[in-house]
Amino acid sequence: MKALVNDRFSNVIYQSDLISRDLSWLQFNWRVLDQCKKSNRSIFERLKFLAITASNLDEFFMIRVGSLYNYLDYDKERVDYSGLREEPFKIKLMVESQQFHKEQHDYFVNVLLPATRENGFLLSNAKNLAEEEQEKIKDYYYKAIHPMLTPMVFDGYHTFPILMNRLLIFGVVTRNHGDKKENRKLSFVQIPSNIPRFFEVEREDMVVYIPIEEVIREHIVSLFRNVEIESINLFRITRNGDFTLEESEDVDANFLEEIKRKLNTRKTGRVVRIEVEEGYSKWMMNLLKGRWELQDDSIFKVERSSLMDFTGLWQVINNRRFKDKIPAIPDPVTPVSYPTEGADNIFQVLKRQDVLLHHPYNNIEPVFQLLEKAAEDPYVMAIKMTIYRLAKDSRITSALLKAVENGKHVSVLFEVKARFDEENNIREAKKLQKAGCFVIFGVSNLKTHTKLLLIVRKEEDRVTRYVHMSSGNYNEETSRFYTDLGLLSTNEIYANDVSEFFNVITGHSIPSVYKNLITAPRDMRNQLIALIKNEAQNAKEGKPSGIVIKINSLEDSEIIHAFYEASQAGVPIKLIVRGICCLRPGRAGLSENIEVLSLVGDFLEHSRVFYFHNQGEPRLFAGSADMMVRSFDRRLESIFELLDTVLKQQLINLLRYNLRDNVNSYVMQEDGSYVAKTVGPDEKPFNVHKEFFHVTMSIIMKAKLF
């Protein structure tokens, strides 16, 4: 894998005990890009991962680079974990980003493009088409595209237009016939986002994709009559999308209006990156750089033989003609903890036993079934839940609306600040509120990231509370390719804790001590550090010890230094961190006993699991939280301890399988780079994204970590 660049900043970076969050994120995107290079994948899978890297990079510039510019633009001090101040760090970040951008496009042009024809499609420009096909494109342009295009001139009489974030834009430099160069004018033609990325030409044995910019380029003179076109320049800008919401304690309708206003800043925020075709007008670029206060390192050049904005490749990937070229996800299997008899009545099942779901290997259907039955069941009195992200046309919304219609009390803590889902969440929340749900739009200045569901049901002479606690969102779409955990239970310990949690967030209450839940921002960091220190103390006393943790991101410095101290005490620590990891493993005198793995493959690893050896009486937790400052201090989070022996074994086996994987796994090096695990000469491939479909009770009960 790609190692850090050896430049004038590398020594400063390497000397730090912590790794830069942003540089670590770029390393994660290298691992995603590595999926494109796996020859056992079809070209459609490889294009899919390329599109994901492009989407990731867009978000990186909008949020992380945007955040850095918040410091640069307002002269605020910031020292990165690497030890670098704002400006040197920006230079370092742009060097790394430029290298990644170049690798993306080189691989696309040199490896993926040449393989398209043999796979039944081509990316081409209009000039390579037959005459009748060119006529179709011409007709399409003048009837469907030309009326939507609006040239916007910038000169002494016209103000600089608002150019939209992440749209393809033509910058057209013109002048009147006979005018001198200093009388140039610059016009912008933005390609609307509702025009398909490619014009598709269907042939009997082939689909030819013509990028929409090539269709427009071929006919753009129709927008500039009787003037001389000096140059036509395709570019794309990325704007700062990072904003911090300062909500008041008294959240009301004004808060929703504030959210809507801040969403608009993503359209007009400061420009942090320009992608532009090579051969661009230097006059135009100097004008844009001056206007947006950018340096050359923020200009990302794209070869004409490549493609600007790889996210558009989803149109190719999702073509029904190629549906059989992408391996289908196997059908979900029944959870090992789910009974074979009486499974049709979810209420009866959960009164007998707890059920642990591991998605996507187990279907999320039992959760939706529970909620939908609760909405119709005459004995259900109340439903309370937290919502972070929902699918479009969500079954969750439909079930809650049905529950209100049937006279049940419904309370929903709706997180309207879920990044890039704000508009959908506001729309769904308003729908529920209008129907009569009690909707809470966030709590103070915290983001609600915990995933909890409570159903209160009257049964004969008692009330039973049904609980679902999860690491993942209530989203039927992402549950098919995100790995997540969810616990369904009627255990009174869980029910009391979840009931108390909802009372705290919906009213004015200070929680008593939870028996099972560990919550943030209350005391999650301190409790996790206490668990780590307990393992360190056991190691110092010569007792058995060990820690295995699976999370998405590790960034909190207090937690990291607790791991360092435990390592120095002799605790074996294995961390499975999909994305950002700011801890340095394997450093002499600091972290020799720490190993860090990252799994990147067909499914997006999203579950969080925490294992502490505890002298052979292991304690296991799962939930929504990563080990990040924001998770501990600025979010409502929860993790829950597993109590049932079988379910604890299920989590132990989950961790054991992740550690065994030699197909999707990358080993983190001390310098922050990663090396892919390979299948040894005496080994068989072990791919967790396949093996979890074949887990049995026998396998689970034999699982051990230490």
Side-chain angles (χ1 to χ4, degrees), residues 204-247:
E204 188 174 330
D205 61 340
M206 182 83 58
V207 181
V208 182
Y209 292 92
I210 313 299
I212 195 63
E213 63 268 27
E214 297 306 322
V215 174
I216 295 172
R217 194 196 309 268
E218 192 73 13
H219 302 92
I220 202 166
V221 292
S222 65
L223 299 171
F224 298 92
R225 299 185 184 280
N226 303 316
V227 294
E228 181 181 340
I229 296 179
E230 186 176 300
S231 65
I232 300 170
N233 312 272
L234 182 69
F235 69 96
R236 179 177 184 262
I237 61 173
T238 312
R239 292 184 179 273
N240 182 358
D242 181 61
F243 55 79
T244 302
L245 298 169
E246 302 293 338
E247 302 94 10

Side-chain angles (χ1 to χ4, degrees), residues 308-340:
M308 193 174 295
D309 185 14
F310 291 132
T311 63
L313 290 169
W314 285 108
Q315 185 178 338
V316 179
I317 300 160
N318 291 330
N319 190 317
R320 290 184 174 276
R321 189 163 176 168
F322 308 124
K323 188 176 180 180
D324 61 341
K325 300 294 180 68
I326 297 179
I329 298 173
D331 291 334
V333 296
T334 303
V336 291
S337 54
Y338 209 84
T340 54

Side-chain angles (χ1 to χ4, degrees), residues 255 382 476 526 602 685:
F255 169 52
E476 54 265 44
N526 291 338
D602 291 332

Side-chain angles (χ1 to χ4, degrees), residues 438-682:
F438 176 49
V439 178
I440 305 113
F441 297 102
V443 176
S444 185
N445 60 347
L446 303 173
K447 181 178 284 190
T448 303
H449 191 251
T450 186
K451 285 83 177 182
L452 298 173
L453 167 64
L454 175 69
I455 295 170
V456 182
R457 187 172 188 258
K458 187 177 181 180
E459 298 173 351
E460 298 176 353
D461 59 345
R462 59 172 295 177
V463 171
T464 303
R465 291 172 293 182
Y466 296 81
V467 171
H468 177 251
M469 301 178 287
S470 176
S471 67
N473 301 307
Y474 293 105
N475 187 320
E476 54 265 44
E477 293 176 1
T478 58
S479 69
R480 298 198 303 269
F481 52 90
Y482 279 33
T483 74
D484 270 308
L485 290 164
L487 175 66
L488 290 163
S489 176
T490 56
N491 187 306
E492 280 294 293
I493 295 175
Y494 294 136
N496 286 333
D497 279 359
V498 174
S499 294
E500 178 74 8
F501 182 87
F502 277 111
N503 289 338
V504 170
I505 62 176
T506 60
H508 184 243
S509 172
I510 298 173
S512 56
V513 175
Y514 293 115
K515 290 185 178 179
N516 181 277
L517 284 182
I518 298 177
T519 64
R522 187 171 181 241
D523 59 357
M524 185 178 290
R525 179 190 284 112
N526 291 338
Q527 288 207 45
L528 288 173
I529 287 176
L531 288 163
I532 295 169
K533 285 185 174 180
N534 182 61
E535 294 302 314
Q537 186 61 37
N538 287 339
K540 289 175 183 176
E541 295 174 2
K543 299 173 183 175
S545 63
I547 297 172
V548 184
I549 291 177
K550 179 182 183 298
I551 47 178
N552 296 340
S553 302
L554 172 57
E555 174 253 0
D556 184 81
S557 62
E558 291 184 51
I559 288 283
I560 291 172
H561 283 99
F563 281 136
Y564 287 159
E565 290 173 12
S567 171
Q568 292 162 35
V571 180
I573 301 171
K574 299 181 187 297
L575 305 174
I576 305 156
V577 187
R578 185 197 76 218
I580 298 164
C581 183
C582 299
L583 175 149
R584 287 192 189 276
R587 173 163 283 190
L590 182 73
S591 55
E592 297 105 319
N593 292 313
I594 303 177
E595 177 185 4
V596 178
L597 301 176
S598 171
L599 269 69
V600 180
D602 291 332
F603 300 138
L604 186 141
E605 292 293 335
H606 196 247
S607 57
R608 289 90 165 182
V609 182
F610 306 81
Y611 168 97
F612 301 93
H613 186 273
N614 195 37
Q615 297 187 63
E617 297 292 335
R619 299 188 67 183
L620 286 113
F621 302 81
S624 62
D626 286 310
M627 290 180 152
M628 303 185 75
V629 172
R630 72 182 187 192
S631 300
F632 296 144
D633 296 339
R634 298 195 294 275
R635 287 187 168 189
L636 282 175
E637 298 274 17
S638 66
I639 60 176
F640 53 91
E641 185 168 5
L642 274 295
L643 304 175
D644 181 88
T645 300
V646 172
L647 304 191
K648 288 169 72 171
Q649 280 297 126
Q650 192 173 341
L651 286 191
I652 289 172
N653 188 66
L654 184 154
L655 294 172
R656 183 175 71 99
Y657 268 30
N658 274 263
L659 295 173
R660 282 183 62 187
D661 186 286
N662 55 15
V663 174
N664 308 291
S665 190
Y666 297 81
V667 182
M668 186 179 182
Q669 308 300 296
E670 185 189 351
D671 66 357
S673 62
Y674 288 75
V675 175
K677 268 191 180 182
T678 55
V679 181
D682 299 322

Side-chain angles (χ1 to χ4, degrees), residues 39 117 150 152 175 185 218 274 282 375 380 428 471 537 571 599 601 671:
S39 58
R117 182 181 290 274
T150 304
M152 299 174 291
R175 60 173 182 254
K185 293 185 180 182
E218 192 73 13
I274 304 176
K282 291 183 179 179
V380 168
E428 295 297 292
S471 67
Q537 186 61 37
V571 180
L599 269 69
D671 66 357

Side-chain angles (χ1 to χ4, degrees), residues 6-110:
N6 183 18
D7 60 22
R8 60 196 175 101
F9 301 126
S10 290
N11 193 42
V12 174
I13 291 172
Y14 186 69
Q15 286 177 349
S16 172
D17 286 346
L18 300 174
I19 288 171
S20 160
R21 167 181 174 164
D22 295 333
L23 294 177
S24 180
W25 185 95
L26 283 171
Q27 283 287 333
F28 164 68
N29 219 25
W30 277 108
R31 299 195 291 283
V32 180
L33 184 62
D34 192 48
Q35 305 304 306
C36 303
K37 302 178 180 181
K38 297 198 171 184
S39 58
N40 62 321
R41 295 192 182 279
S42 73
I43 191 169
F44 300 98
E45 292 178 279
R46 297 162 87 175
L47 291 174
K48 176 187 76 173
F49 282 105
L50 185 64
I52 291 171
T53 67
S55 179
N56 286 348
L57 203 59
D58 281 351
E59 183 174 342
F60 178 73
F61 271 88
M62 289 175 65
I63 305 304
R64 298 306 306 161
V65 178
S67 174
L68 180 58
Y69 269 104
N70 288 342
Y71 288 88
L72 291 165
D73 289 344
Y74 297 101
D75 294 322
K76 292 184 178 181
E77 292 187 358
R78 174 185 187 270
V79 179
D80 186 79
Y81 273 1
S82 63
L84 296 178
R85 292 291 299 272
E86 312 85 40
E87 189 61 39
F89 184 69
K90 193 212 83 166
I91 294 170
K92 174 66 179 173
L93 206 57
M94 291 303 103
V95 168
E96 292 284 319
S97 299
Q98 289 279 2
Q99 286 190 336
F100 183 83
H101 177 268
K102 184 177 186 305
E103 180 71 14
Q104 275 182 309
H105 287 271
D106 284 352
Y107 196 79
F108 176 72
V109 170
N110 298 324

